[in-house]
Amino acid sequence: MARSKYKLGEILVKNKLLGINSLKDAIKYAKEHNQRLGEALIELELCSEKDVTKALAKQFDMRYVNLDKTSEVTANLKLIPAKMIKDLKILPLGEEDGRLKVVISDPLDLDKLDLLRFKLNPNIECALAPASKIQKFIDTFLTGFESKIKETVHSIDEDQAEDEQAGAGRLIEKDEDAPIIRLINQVIGEAVRTRASDIHIEPMADRVRVRYRIDGVCIEKEKIPKSVQGAVLARLKLMAGIDIAEKRVPQDGRIKMRFTSDDIDFRVSACPGYHGESIVLRILRPDAVRVGIQSLGFEQDNYETFMNIIKRPNGIFLVTGPTGSGKTTTLYSALQELNRPDRKIITAEDPVEYNFPGINQCQVRDEIGLTFSRILRAMLRQAPNIILVGEIRDMEVGEVAIQAALTGHLVFSTLHTNDAPGAITRLIDMGIKPFLVASSVQAIMAQRLIRIICEECKEDDPSPNRQFMRAIGMTAQEMDGHSLKRGRGCQRCSQTGFRGRQGIFEMLSMNSELRELAFNRAPTSQVRKAARASGMRTLVEDGKVKVLRGVTTLEEVARHAQAEGVVVEQED
C-alpha cells in the first residue's frame, strides 16, 4: 500500500474541499483530543466522511468503493466468519489469484490488517469505504435488521399472545429465542443503528405503532399486531425494572444494553393512555454529549464569546430554550472543556443522564427531600469552583444559585424561556430581587436545534420558497452571491435530505446598560432592543447566516426560530 507525497489535509485543500483556516482548526482540535486529522474533520463537520475517505484512498493509493451502489458491489460475506465481519467492520469482496480482497475504513489500522493476514490470508488487497457505509452494508445484508423485524412480527403466533398474564409469565423466563423478546431487541437495535434519539411504542385502536425520532422528527417504522400489545409492554417494563402489574399511573425506569462496543442507557417512561400504556425509550448514547464545543454550530463571534464566558471565575451563565433544544448538550460540552484536575465541579440534575469522570454528579430525589435547593446548599460546603444546576424552577433555587455566583462560584443552569432577553424578566417574575439578577448574571444564551443538509446529496435550490424567505426576513440583497442549498434525499439520510443537527444561538452578554435595565425592571422588549444594539444576533438572524452558508434550509430556520407573523406547517 503505497503512500503519496501529499498529506491528507493537503489533498483536501488542493481539491477545494477544505479551507486553510479550517485545516488549522482541525489540526489543533485533533491534537487537543488525541485524534487523527480525519476523525477531527468529520467530528467538526468540516468535511464529509465520504470526502475524507476518498482523500485517504488517494493518499494511500487505494481503490475507493461506493457502497451506496449496492448493485455494483459484489461482497462475498461467506469468505470471512460473520462474527469477524461484525467485530472488525470489514467487507470481503472476493478472492483472485490467491489474494483476498477486503474493504476497510482505516488504512492506518495495522493491527486489524495483521489480524486478517494471520487468521485468513497473508495476501490481502485492501480498498477503502466510509465506516458508516460498511456498517450499513453489514446491517442490511448480514444482520438484516429491517427484514428480521418484519419476519419476527409475522412469525408471532397471535393466538398465544392474547392472554396477557400468560405472556408476562413467559417473558420472566428470559428465553432470548422467544418471538416477543427477539422483536423488542430488534426494534431497539434498529433505533440505535439509525441514530434515533427516542423510540415511541404507542398502542392504538387496531395496532401498536412504533416510531423513531431521528434528528428531531418522528418517523413511523413498524406496526406490531394489537394482539401482542400486552406481551410487548410487559417485556419493556420488565427490562426497565418497573411494575408490570401497575397500569394506572405513570412509571419511570432504565435499561442498559450493549451494542457493538458501547454500553447504551435507555430512560424509559410509561404513561397510561386510552388504548393502553404508551412507552417511550430515550436513547442516552455516551458520545451524544461529548461532541465538543466546536461541533455545536457556533459562528465564530458567538464561539469566542462563549469561550470567554465559561472561563470567567464567577457569575451565572444561563442557557434557555424548550425541551429538546440541546441545552444539556451545550452545558455538558462547557463542563468538559473546564474539567481539569485543578477544578472541582459539582452538578445537581434531575435526572443524571450521562456520567462523566472527574465531575461530582448528584441526582435530585424529591420523594426523600433531596431537592435542587437542598443539594445546592450542600454543594457550597464542598468548596466547588463550578456548579451546574439542571434547571432554575423557582425562587428558592434561583436565589441560592445567585448567592453561589456572588460568593465566587461559576454557575451554569437552564431556564425555560423563548429567547435570551426574556430570561431576565422571568427571573424577576419568580420573585428574585432585580439587583441580584443584575449583579450576578454574566450571560444568557437561547438556542434551538435545526437539521443540517446531508452532505452526500446537497445541491443548489433553484427556487427558494418565498414564504420562508419572508418568514426569516431574507432579502434579495442578502442572497446576492450566495446559492441556497437543499438535500435531494439519498440512502445515507433515508431520503430526508437532512443528516444531523446543529444549534442556532442568541447570545446576550450582560453590560452596564443591560444591568441597569434589569435593575429597573425594564420590559423584555426594551431589554431586547438594547441587547441587539450591543451586538446580539437573534435566533432568526443566526439561522439566516447558516442558510447563506448552505448548512441548512429556509424552512428549518423558519420552523424552529419562531419567526414572527408566519405560521409554518410541521412535517408529517
Side-chain angles (χ1 to χ4, degrees):
M1 160 170 79
R3 188 166 181 169
S4 75
K5 61 181 178 180
Y6 292 108
K7 294 180 180 179
L8 175 64
E10 292 172 343
I11 294 171
L12 290 166
V13 170
K14 187 180 178 183
N15 292 335
K16 298 182 179 179
L17 297 169
L18 184 68
I20 292 291
N21 291 332
S22 296
L23 175 60
K24 290 177 181 177
D25 291 342
I27 292 172
K28 181 183 176 184
Y29 183 84
K31 287 179 180 177
E32 289 175 352
H33 293 78
N34 194 26
Q35 291 181 328
R36 292 177 186 162
L37 177 59
E39 295 171 336
L41 288 169
I42 294 168
E43 190 169 304
L44 295 173
E45 296 181 353
L46 295 172
C47 285
S48 69
E49 189 182 23
K50 181 180 179 180
D51 288 337
V52 170
T53 309
K54 280 186 171 181
L56 283 171
K58 188 170 184 179
Q59 183 186 15
F60 287 90
D61 193 23
M62 298 170 69
R63 182 165 70 96
Y64 176 83
V65 179
N66 187 357
L67 293 179
D68 283 331
K69 298 180 179 179
T70 52
S71 58
E72 298 177 15
V73 179
T74 55
N76 188 345
L77 301 178
K78 295 180 181 178
L79 286 173
I80 299 179
K83 188 176 187 306
M84 186 176 289
I85 290 174
K86 291 179 186 177
D87 292 344
L88 300 181
K89 294 182 176 59
I90 57 172
L91 284 180
L93 294 182
E95 283 185 303
E96 185 178 329
D97 298 330
R99 288 178 293 115
L100 177 64
K101 296 182 177 182
V102 296
V103 180
I104 60 173
S105 60
D106 185 357
L108 292 171
D109 193 345
L110 302 179
D111 290 339
K112 183 185 292 187
L113 295 175
D114 288 341
L115 181 63
L116 286 171
R117 290 188 179 98
F118 176 73
K119 289 197 170 186
L120 300 171
N121 191 327
N123 298 313
I124 291 179
E125 181 182 319
C126 295
L128 282 186
S132 63
K133 305 287 186 185
I134 293 175
Q135 186 63 57
K136 186 158 188 175
F137 198 100
I138 292 169
D139 290 342
T140 304
F141 294 97
L142 188 65
T143 311
F145 273 118
E146 294 180 5
S147 60
K148 283 193 173 184
I149 291 174
K150 289 180 173 60
E151 288 173 12
T152 304
V153 170
H154 289 304
S155 71
I156 293 173
D157 186 351
E158 297 185 7
D159 293 332
Q160 291 181 355
E162 287 179 357
D163 185 348
E164 293 187 12
Q165 295 302 321
R170 286 194 299 275
L171 294 174
I172 295 172
E173 295 172 4
K174 298 182 180 179
D175 179 6
E176 293 299 325
D177 291 327
I180 295 295
I181 296 177
R182 194 165 67 247
L183 173 64
I184 295 298
N185 291 340
Q186 288 166 354
V187 166
I188 293 175
E190 170 71 355
V192 171
R193 186 183 70 83
T194 55
R195 305 178 299 106
S197 60
D198 303 272
I199 308 171
H200 297 260
I201 314 290
E202 302 165 323
M204 305 184 79
D206 57 344
R207 69 187 194 280
V208 178
R209 181 171 67 173
V210 178
R211 294 193 293 172
Y212 302 152
R213 188 180 294 278
I214 302 172
D215 292 334
V217 177
C218 281
I219 298 172
E220 186 167 343
K221 287 289 186 177
E222 273 69 54
K223 296 176 183 178
I224 297 174
K226 184 72 173 177
S227 57
V228 299
Q229 173 180 313
V232 167
L233 299 184
R235 173 60 185 170
L236 286 168
K237 291 166 74 174
L238 180 69
M239 293 172 70
I242 56 182
D243 189 352
I244 294 176
E246 181 58 75
K247 302 176 184 178
R248 301 164 298 171
V249 296
Q251 298 186 80
D252 296 314
R254 285 181 93 104
I255 298 172
K256 194 180 191 78
M257 296 180 73
R258 190 169 185 81
F259 291 90
T260 58
S261 59
D262 294 325
D263 287 320
I264 297 179
D265 284 334
F266 301 83
R267 195 177 77 201
V268 183
S269 171
C271 184
Y274 185 75
H275 296 294
E277 290 173 285
S278 170
I279 294 184
V280 176
L281 286 76
R282 166 66 61 87
I283 303 174
L284 307 174
R285 291 179 175 82
D287 58 346
V289 288
R290 294 183 173 91
V291 295
I293 293 173
Q294 288 174 306
S295 299
L296 295 176
F298 286 115
E299 300 301 322
Q300 188 60 35
D301 55 346
N302 279 344
Y303 172 74
E304 291 171 1
T305 303
F306 182 83
M307 295 301 292
N308 287 333
I309 290 165
I310 67 172
K311 290 179 180 177
R312 291 180 183 177
N314 64 287
I316 292 183
F317 178 46
L318 292 172
V319 180
T320 76
T323 302
S325 60
K327 301 187 297 295
T328 301
T329 300
T330 298
L331 290 179
Y332 275 145
S333 297
L335 290 187
Q336 280 203 287
E337 181 72 23
L338 300 171
N339 188 12
R340 300 287 184 272
D342 61 334
R343 297 189 182 107
K344 184 176 179 68
I345 302 175
I346 305 180
T347 74
E349 302 171 64
D350 183 21
V352 173
E353 293 186 345
Y354 300 95
N355 295 311
F356 291 89
I359 297 178
N360 302 275
Q361 296 173 270
C362 187
Q363 176 151 332
V364 171
R365 297 179 64 189
D366 289 323
E367 67 273 13
I368 61 170
L370 191 61
T371 60
F372 271 121
S373 58
R374 189 170 180 182
I375 293 172
L376 262 174
R377 289 190 175 92
M379 278 182 181
L380 298 178
R381 294 192 290 272
Q382 297 268 313
N385 300 102
I386 300 162
I387 295 171
L388 168 66
V389 185
E391 181 186 345
I392 295 180
R393 296 177 176 174
D394 51 40
M395 182 179 72
E396 186 179 12
V397 176
E399 284 185 339
V400 178
I402 283 175
Q403 290 300 328
L406 293 175
T407 52
H409 303 87
L410 181 60
V411 181
F412 294 106
S413 191
T414 69
L415 203 62
H416 286 288
T417 61
N418 287 330
D419 58 9
I424 294 175
T425 308
R426 176 83 179 98
L427 289 172
I428 295 172
D429 287 346
M430 280 183 184
I432 300 171
K433 293 179 175 59
F435 77 89
L436 290 176
V437 175
S439 57
S440 62
V441 175
Q442 295 287 351
I444 304 163
M445 185 176 76
Q447 71 176 74
R448 300 289 189 277
L449 285 178
I450 55 171
R451 293 184 293 173
I452 57 179
I453 301 169
C454 174
E455 288 293 334
E456 296 288 326
C457 60
K458 183 186 285 188
E459 64 181 14
D460 290 342
D461 187 351
S463 54
N465 188 301
R466 298 293 173 184
Q467 180 195 4
F468 297 137
M469 286 180 65
R470 288 194 300 272
I472 69 172
M474 182 79 76
T475 63
Q477 290 79 10
E478 288 174 317
M479 287 181 58
D480 189 32
H482 295 89
S483 176
L484 303 192
K485 303 293 182 181
R486 67 180 181 186
R488 184 179 61 255
C490 65
Q491 188 177 11
R492 182 172 183 259
C493 62
S494 302
Q495 307 304 322
T496 62
F498 298 95
R499 184 177 173 89
R501 289 191 290 175
Q502 278 189 2
I504 52 174
F505 303 95
E506 185 173 275
M507 182 75 75
L508 185 155
S509 189
M510 296 292 282
N511 55 30
S512 56
E513 183 184 1
L514 290 169
R515 293 187 195 281
E516 187 174 345
L517 289 172
F519 181 78
N520 293 322
R521 297 175 180 263
T524 301
S525 58
Q526 195 174 342
V527 174
R528 184 184 295 110
K529 185 178 179 181
R532 293 194 67 183
S534 65
M536 183 189 81
R537 191 165 54 242
T538 66
L539 288 168
V540 172
E541 290 166 344
D542 197 51
K544 195 189 300 184
V545 173
K546 288 179 171 58
V547 170
L548 293 173
R549 287 202 294 111
V551 174
T552 189
T553 64
L554 292 163
E555 181 182 0
E556 276 296 295
V557 174
R559 193 155 62 93
H560 290 283
Q562 295 185 340
E564 294 181 6
V566 177
V567 178
V568 182
E569 293 185 0
Q570 297 286 338
E571 293 181 2
D572 292 334

